[in-house]
Amino acid sequence: MKKIIELLNLEVMEAFEKAGYEKEYGAVTLSNRSDLCQYQCNGALAAAKKYKKAPIMIANEVLSILEKSSTFKEIKAIMPGFINIILQDSFLADYLNGMKNAEQFGVEKTKQPLKIVIDYGGPNVAKPLHVGHLRSAIIGESIKRIAKFAGHEVIGDVHLGDWGLQMGLIITELKKRTPDLVYFDDTFTGEYPEEPPFTISELEEIYPFANAYSKEHPEYREEAMNATFLLQSGKPGYMALWNHILNVSISDLKKNYEKLNVEFDLWKKESDAQPYIPDMVQYLKDHNYARISEGALVVDVKEETDTKEIPPCMILKSDGATLYNTTDLATIVERKKLFAPDAILYVVDKRQELYFEQIFRCAKKTKLIDETVNLTFLGFGTMNGKDGKPFKTRDGGVMRLEKLIQEITDAVYEKVMSNREMDQQEAREIAGKVGLAAIKYGDLSNQASKDYIFDLERFTSFEGNTGPYILYTIVRIKSILNKYQTEVGKINQDTQILGADSDSERELMLALVKFNEMIENAYSENAPHKVCQYIYDLSNAFSRFYHDTKIITENNKVKQNSWISLICLTEDILNTCIDLLGLEAPERM
């Protein structure tokens, strides 16, 4: 189904061509003066220069062709040559009926589906998720859902950090506390226990303690580095402990991501890339892509056109040890082998832009990945407190994500209970959905690359551009439809939407027809905030229509049925949009 702007473009372009001008001048855009018109064409102004004719004359010639069209209710040429367009109400209604009956409301799936890998997790195992992990997870999840809706094959990968010094620190501290564990007995040849020797709570206490202790005691850090080396060399007892750490951590991570309504297709790890490293390093040496610099193996990635310094990409340190660079390049090799993707997107803190620039250049220059594969860095800004600094707890620590979710859910619960009497369990379930909407919409409604202020009071408000307001709009529609079915009768899904009866109904229709174009833009720009802006505008348009229209008490049944059909479409599109954001509306609030 063509977007409404495409239909207008076709008609106006054809009119320009019939009038003797190049059809490209007939491009139509949304009006920037909605008080004057709905759409506009400024092509006559551009054409005037080429055809050496007054733009108003060109506009009037085009109008003489268009004024008999059933598409336009009003079309005017305004000095010095603007063409202002107001659509015929019946044309708008017909388009909405087409959306209502079409799959995905007329959004056509791409004819050239891509295979896209999105890397949007990145937590380290053995550590709890904190607020710093929030943006990557929810932005990546929304981008994944939008790309799937557009018709692409999308693979979401959590890409866990599980192979670095933190593993050696945990193993070293465990050995210090419980030296008699079988994992530290080099003579042991039996099966290692299936049950881990620690809980997730104990694990989350061990790592920060060991990390802090290692900074004060060099010999302890040296021991941890040696434990990391032994683990990476395949020491059986350490490998068994590492597996316990993974199992306990991943089980806990899955619970936390589930609370965020974030899902991964792959739970791949840094360690999964290790088998690819030896061959990759040898390949870089054999093809003279890498050179030795001060004992380290590096690849030069600077280009002549660079205006800033781009350091070489280090592959191996002088002692032969690998780095994150090595692992990330090997992960690209792994993804190429396993999935042959057309694109890989990294949803990462924008402060890592230079690092990923090095990685991408290195991968392309050395032909580890084909030139045609699109490697994209989607850098996001920081989530800040009201002081403008990165969000912290009241005592200045980094807040656990679990605690943040609980704080917001509790705040919403208090609001729900203060407005009406409700069963506590139902109120908790509602608060869970609304609280999650407050967090995720509060984040996603901002352009991802920008920093934003986390404002608990504003995000949990049921008014303004917030998640709770969007959900409240959906719940209000549900309430109207339930009341209609109770007091009037069954909803007829085949009822046609008629031409608008009022300005507010027309504005709601105009908001709905922008859905297809919004989806296209949100996908092409990797921009969930465009979905948020759309549903906020749509919710406002519905609210104005609702306040102006007595739907349930309307005596004209034909008109009433049309309105019911219109708000059913509104609810369906709002529900589709919040699903793209990873949200869900309750039945009531």
Side-chain angles (χ1 to χ4, degrees):
M1 183 174 176
K2 288 189 182 299
K3 299 187 287 293
I4 199 162
I5 198 82
E6 289 177 327
L7 295 176
L8 299 179
N9 271 321
L10 284 171
E11 191 161 353
V12 178
M13 283 179 172
E14 188 180 328
F16 264 82
E17 200 167 35
K18 282 182 179 176
Y21 305 104
E22 289 181 19
K23 67 178 183 179
E24 282 70 28
Y25 291 116
V28 175
T29 60
L30 268 174
S31 171
N32 55 18
R33 285 289 306 275
S34 58
D35 56 323
L36 298 177
C37 59
Q38 297 163 355
Y39 294 88
Q40 65 189 62
C41 172
N42 304 336
L45 298 167
K49 195 170 184 180
K50 178 173 180 178
Y51 293 96
K52 297 180 172 52
K53 193 184 277 191
I56 194 69
M57 289 177 66
I58 296 172
N60 279 319
E61 287 174 38
V62 172
L63 248 63
S64 68
I65 296 168
L66 290 172
E67 56 193 6
K68 296 183 182 67
S69 169
S70 60
T71 302
F72 310 112
K73 184 178 190 176
E74 191 177 287
I75 185 162
K76 288 182 180 178
I78 306 293
M79 289 294 288
F82 299 111
I83 298 175
N84 287 358
I85 298 169
I86 293 177
L87 300 179
Q88 190 65 257
D89 289 330
S90 57
F91 172 78
L92 204 53
D94 287 346
Y95 190 85
L96 286 173
N97 286 313
M99 286 179 67
K100 186 166 72 83
N101 297 318
E103 188 179 351
Q104 293 198 152
F105 311 108
V107 174
E108 295 179 4
K109 290 189 180 292
T110 178
K111 293 179 176 63
Q112 295 179 310
L114 303 175
K115 186 180 285 187
I116 304 169
V117 174
I118 305 184
D119 186 323
Y120 62 102
N124 287 322
V125 300
K127 300 181 188 178
L129 289 177
H130 57 75
V131 293
H133 295 110
L134 179 68
R135 300 210 73 190
S136 177
I138 64 177
I139 294 169
E141 179 69 18
S142 183
I143 288 171
K144 179 184 78 174
R145 291 178 182 222
I146 292 167
K148 281 187 174 180
F149 193 81
H152 299 284
E153 181 185 349
V154 192
I155 303 164
D157 184 8
V158 68
H159 194 63
L160 298 169
D162 71 326
W163 203 237
L165 180 60
Q166 82 264 28
M167 294 294 114
L169 287 166
I170 292 166
I171 290 169
T172 300
E173 185 57 26
L174 277 170
K175 188 174 183 180
K176 180 180 165 188
R177 296 184 184 189
T178 50
D180 294 334
L181 285 176
V182 68
Y183 308 96
F184 305 118
D185 182 356
D186 290 340
T187 64
F188 183 77
T189 56
E191 293 287 327
Y192 289 103
E194 289 187 13
E195 287 298 311
F198 41 69
T199 63
I200 186 63
S201 300
E202 289 167 339
L203 198 56
E204 289 175 355
E205 179 272 324
I206 288 170
Y207 172 72
F209 174 85
N211 189 40
Y213 191 81
S214 71
K215 290 173 183 175
E216 302 289 329
H217 300 81
E219 72 287 351
Y220 182 89
R221 185 174 183 82
E222 191 65 35
E223 188 179 344
M225 290 172 71
N226 186 53
T228 306
F229 172 77
L230 291 172
L231 168 66
Q232 294 178 356
S233 300
K235 186 178 172 70
Y238 289 8
M239 290 292 288
L241 276 175
W242 171 71
N243 275 308
H244 285 316
I245 294 168
L246 282 182
N247 292 335
V248 170
S249 295
I250 289 173
S251 176
D252 186 65
L253 285 169
K254 284 183 175 178
K255 288 178 192 171
N256 279 286
Y257 279 123
E258 192 177 330
K259 287 176 186 173
L260 283 175
N261 201 11
V262 168
E263 297 174 351
F264 298 98
D265 304 287
L266 299 173
W267 284 79
K268 300 289 280 182
K269 310 173 293 297
E270 205 182 339
S271 58
D272 290 323
Q274 300 305 308
Y276 297 88
I277 290 176
D279 286 348
M280 181 186 78
V281 170
Q282 193 60 49
Y283 164 83
L284 295 176
K285 289 177 179 177
D286 290 347
H287 290 77
N288 297 317
Y289 289 123
R291 65 178 176 87
I292 301 296
S293 173
E294 298 179 12
L297 187 70
V298 303
V299 173
D300 291 314
V301 293
K302 184 173 172 56
E303 296 172 359
E304 289 182 8
T305 53
D306 289 334
T307 55
K308 60 182 180 181
E309 186 61 33
I310 305 288
C313 183
M314 191 181 295
I315 308 299
L316 296 176
K317 292 198 287 189
S318 56
D319 62 358
T322 60
L323 307 93
Y324 283 121
N325 303 21
T326 328
T327 303
D328 279 325
L329 286 167
T331 299
I332 289 174
V333 172
E334 179 191 27
R335 287 169 175 163
K336 177 184 175 181
K337 181 180 178 182
L338 298 181
F339 310 113
D342 300 296
I344 307 175
L345 278 61
Y346 294 80
V347 185
V348 191
D349 189 311
K350 67 181 180 183
R351 290 169 290 189
Q352 294 193 45
E353 185 172 8
L354 176 60
Y355 169 78
F356 277 97
E357 179 69 23
Q358 288 178 291
I359 296 298
F360 294 170
R361 286 190 184 188
C362 185
K364 290 291 179 76
K365 179 179 178 179
T366 62
K367 298 181 172 56
L368 289 174
I369 194 84
D370 297 338
E371 192 62 42
T372 54
V373 178
N374 190 8
L375 300 177
T376 304
F377 172 77
L378 297 173
F380 54 80
T382 54
M383 169 180 152
N384 297 328
K386 288 184 179 180
D387 59 359
K389 297 175 182 177
F391 192 80
K392 301 281 187 183
T393 58
R394 287 189 183 88
D395 60 6
V398 177
M399 181 176 277
R400 290 180 64 150
L401 196 48
E402 211 169 4
K403 189 172 189 301
L404 178 72
I405 295 171
Q406 193 59 55
E407 275 195 14
I408 285 215
T409 304
D410 289 345
V412 172
Y413 175 77
E414 295 300 324
K415 289 188 177 186
V416 170
M417 292 300 284
S418 67
N419 288 336
R420 61 163 72 189
E421 285 190 16
M422 187 183 287
D423 175 71
Q424 285 192 6
Q425 184 177 345
E426 184 187 5
R428 284 286 176 198
E429 288 173 3
I430 291 169
K433 290 178 179 178
V434 178
L436 187 60
I439 295 172
K440 295 180 78 169
Y441 188 92
D443 187 303
L444 292 169
S445 57
N446 298 278
Q447 192 171 333
S449 61
K450 294 182 177 177
D451 300 349
Y452 76 95
I453 303 295
F454 186 88
D455 186 336
L456 177 66
E457 192 173 333
R458 183 170 73 83
F459 286 3
T460 57
S461 172
F462 284 68
E463 297 175 354
N465 191 9
T466 69
Y469 169 66
I470 303 299
L471 297 195
Y472 181 69
T473 302
I474 296 171
V475 168
R476 178 180 272 171
I477 296 174
K478 289 177 187 282
S479 175
I480 296 167
L481 296 176
N482 287 336
K483 192 172 184 182
Y484 175 87
Q485 291 183 94
T486 302
E487 298 182 12
V488 181
K490 189 177 178 182
I491 294 170
N492 182 355
Q493 300 294 340
D494 297 325
T495 299
Q496 295 290 290
I497 297 169
L498 304 177
D501 216 40
S502 64
D503 287 343
S504 60
E505 185 179 2
R506 191 171 295 109
E507 289 303 314
L508 177 57
M509 289 178 162
L510 285 167
L512 286 165
V513 299
K514 293 172 188 171
F515 173 74
N516 305 31
E517 190 175 3
M518 176 278 292
I519 290 292
E520 185 178 279
N521 292 336
Y523 165 70
S524 64
E525 297 174 34
N526 292 311
H529 72 277
K530 289 188 177 291
V531 181
C532 295
Q533 186 59 53
Y534 173 79
I535 55 177
Y536 178 55
D537 291 342
L538 180 56
S539 295
N540 283 339
F542 168 77
S543 293
R544 286 190 289 271
F545 170 70
Y546 170 75
H547 287 299
D548 289 352
T549 313
K550 306 300 180 192
I551 299 171
I552 302 299
T553 56
E554 174 58 50
N555 292 322
N556 185 326
K557 294 304 174 189
V558 174
K559 190 183 291 187
Q560 185 185 51
N561 288 338
S562 170
W563 289 341
I564 291 296
S565 193
L566 179 65
I567 67 173
C568 280
L569 178 60
T570 304
E571 182 195 11
D572 289 343
I573 286 181
L574 283 171
N575 274 321
T576 297
C577 288
I578 65 168
D579 183 67
L580 295 177
L581 301 175
L583 308 178
E584 185 184 350
E587 288 303 309
R588 65 177 186 142
M589 283 167 68

